[in-house]
Structure formats: C-alpha cells, structure tokens
Amino acid sequence: MSGEQQQSAQQYEEKYKGGYGLVYPESHLIRLHRHILEWELHLDSGPVFDFGCGAGAHLKYFLDHGFTPYGCDTSTTAVERCKTLMPEHARNFFVVPPSGSNLLDLAPTGRFAVFLANQVLYYLTDEEIGRIVGQAHSLVRPGGVFVASMMAYSCWYARCVTAEAGDFKRVELVSPRQQETMFINFKNRDELPHLFRPFRRLHIGSYGSHIRDEEGSTDHWLFVGIRD
Ligand SMILES: C[S@@+](CC[C@H](N)C(=O)[O-])C[C@H]1O[C@@H](n2cnc3c(N)ncnc32)[C@H](O)[C@@H]1O
C-alpha cells in the first residue's frame, strides 16, 4: 500500500478526533443536486453511496431531499458521527481500509442512483482510484450518476509543493492558519475523462473560493459522469 495514502487516512482520523468535519453541505453539492440531478436528470430519489463520506453532512442533505444514504470512510470517528446523525440508516455506514477496500461487499450492486466522492480521491494513487471507479461502476444502476472532485493545479496548495512522491505531490502548507504536510494527487481537467472511464462524461465543472489574502483559490474540478 502507498505510505502516503495511509498517512492521509491517519491524519484525517486525528482531525476528526479533534472535532473536524462539515456540519453543513458544501454549496457546490447543493448546486449539483439542483442543477444537474433535479433539473437536468429529474433524479429525486434512490440510494446514494458517498465514498469518503466524512461526518455525513452530504449524506444528511441527500437524505433530507428524498435519497437513501450509504457511505464509507477510513475514519472510525467520522463513521460513528454518521451513525449518530442518521440513526435509522446506521447499518449503511462502514469503516474501510485506506486501500484495497471492497465496496461490493458493503452494498447491493447495480442499484445506486448516485455515487459521490467529494474531496477524497486525490488522497489515493491512480491505481487505487481506478479500482474504486470500477467498483462504483458496478454499484451504480444504468443511468446512474458518478460525481467526483479532484484538486486542480490552480488550487493554492500547488504553490506549496516541495517534492514528488509517486502519483502524489508533497504539499507543505505554512500559512498563518494552516501548518500541515499532505500528499495530493493533482489532476488537469483533460485527464479526468480517462481517469473516470467507464463513466461517460456529462459535465466537468469547477469550484473554489479565495477568502484569505495570503492563501489563494481552493480550485477543484467537479466531474459528473453517467453509467450507460
Ligand atoms: C477532505 S475530507 C472530505 C470528507 C467528505 N467527503 C466531505 O466532502 O465533507 C477527506 C475524507 O476522505 C477520507 N479518506 C482519506 N483517505 C481515504 C481512503 N483511502 N479511503 C476512504 N476515505 C478516505 C477522510 O477520512 C476524510 O473523511
């Protein structure tokens, strides 16, 4: 297993133990729901699988809008928070290892309306991303949707790269707010259709915000694909 992949998972478990984790859904996922799932695809129900679901803010949003939540994360603390937040669906939340997880053992194949991987796949090697995408393709029903974000090189984190480590860049953040070393698998926009094949590309959007002067925009790509 990649040591960088394992290190990222461990760092997140420590963060969750310290109270980290979204309470509210991110605005780009509310827009994804409104602009693509509802308006374009008329999709307003069905099971959603959230890979790297964290403390469950996005699954709770989808639950409140007619979907059934399923999710997994490497952080035991985060998965426990999902169970507390959505107790009636507690059996749908799973702790997985940082690599080699078999999602097909966790949930029924060919049924999911949506597979979501928000701000998680860039902690994985290309090989592991390929494995997860293959499993996502088996979990999603024909016509179902695959949503994944990847960190872009225009994200300010790319200015803090100090070394290469296989598929990852070593990022050393030294802003007044954040002093942290992480390993990120950055991608260009034109790499995404191949990375997320066999899903057919529907949209490649982006999101990001620049709040503190000395930092920069938090640019991410947002890939939306369909299982034909
Ligand atoms: C930036 S957080 C995003 C959490 C959530 N998707 C969200 O949008 O709020 C990254 C998440 O990925 C999880 N994670 C890190 N490495 C992972 C891995 N190898 N497999 C699954 N989840 C992982 C972390 O525990 C953390 O919850």
Side-chain angles (χ1 to χ4, degrees):
M1 183 204 305
S2 145
E4 291 80 11
Q5 207 167 276
Q6 179 143 23
Q7 185 173 322
S8 299
Q10 281 167 352
Q11 279 176 342
Y12 271 104
E13 174 60 356
E14 291 309 312
K15 286 187 187 181
Y16 283 112
K17 281 184 184 158
Y20 169 90
L22 288 185
V23 176
Y24 305 107
E26 296 256 36
S27 66
H28 65 276
L29 289 180
I30 297 174
R31 291 192 172 95
L32 163 96
H33 169 233
R34 295 292 190 203
H35 301 185
I36 300 181
L37 302 185
E38 275 192 347
W39 183 79
E40 182 173 4
L41 301 174
H42 310 292
L43 187 55
D44 58 9
S45 63
V48 175
F49 194 102
D50 189 355
F51 178 79
C53 59
H58 295 129
L59 284 174
K60 179 69 165 71
Y61 172 84
F62 280 105
L63 173 61
D64 291 344
H65 290 82
F67 295 83
T68 307
Y70 286 71
C72 71
D73 201 285
T74 46
S75 165
T76 308
T77 306
V79 170
E80 283 308 313
R81 280 167 61 186
C82 288
K83 291 181 180 179
T84 303
L85 186 63
M86 294 164 275
E88 67 282 20
H89 298 283
R91 73 178 65 157
N92 295 352
F93 305 122
F94 307 94
V95 178
V96 291
S99 73
S101 54
N102 187 356
L103 308 184
L104 308 185
D105 283 347
L106 309 181
T109 55
R111 281 204 32 222
F112 281 83
V114 179
F115 185 99
L116 173 65
N118 187 58
Q119 297 182 184
V120 57
L121 293 180
Y122 44 78
Y123 297 113
L124 275 52
T125 61
D126 285 354
E127 185 183 353
E128 184 68 6
I129 293 173
R131 241 179 38 77
I132 296 298
V133 171
Q135 294 181 12
H137 196 256
S138 299
L139 288 173
V140 167
R141 63 170 167 74
V145 183
F146 172 85
V147 180
S149 65
M150 291 301 285
M151 199 179 287
Y153 282 100
S154 55
C155 178
W156 74 278
Y157 285 19
R159 297 202 312 252
C160 306
V161 170
T162 56
E164 304 233 354
D167 296 331
F168 300 101
K169 304 276 189 288
R170 181 186 170 94
V171 173
E172 295 189 50
L173 298 181
V174 284
S175 85
R177 187 179 68 90
Q178 263 176 302
Q179 295 83 44
E180 190 176 352
T181 298
M182 51 180 74
F183 292 92
I184 301 290
N185 188 346
F186 290 92
K187 289 294 176 207
N188 287 310
R189 187 177 195 272
D190 59 10
E191 293 178 279
L192 301 187
H194 178 74
L195 188 68
F196 297 136
R197 201 174 286 163
F199 289 100
R200 173 174 53 84
R201 163 199 175 154
L202 185 63
H203 295 283
I204 303 179
S206 65
Y207 61 90
S209 55
H210 182 170
I211 305 299
R212 286 187 60 88
D213 220 10
E214 78 282 2
E215 295 183 357
S217 189
T218 54
D219 291 346
H220 285 65
W221 304 117
L222 188 66
F223 178 94
V224 182
I226 297 286
R227 176 178 173 179
D228 288 317

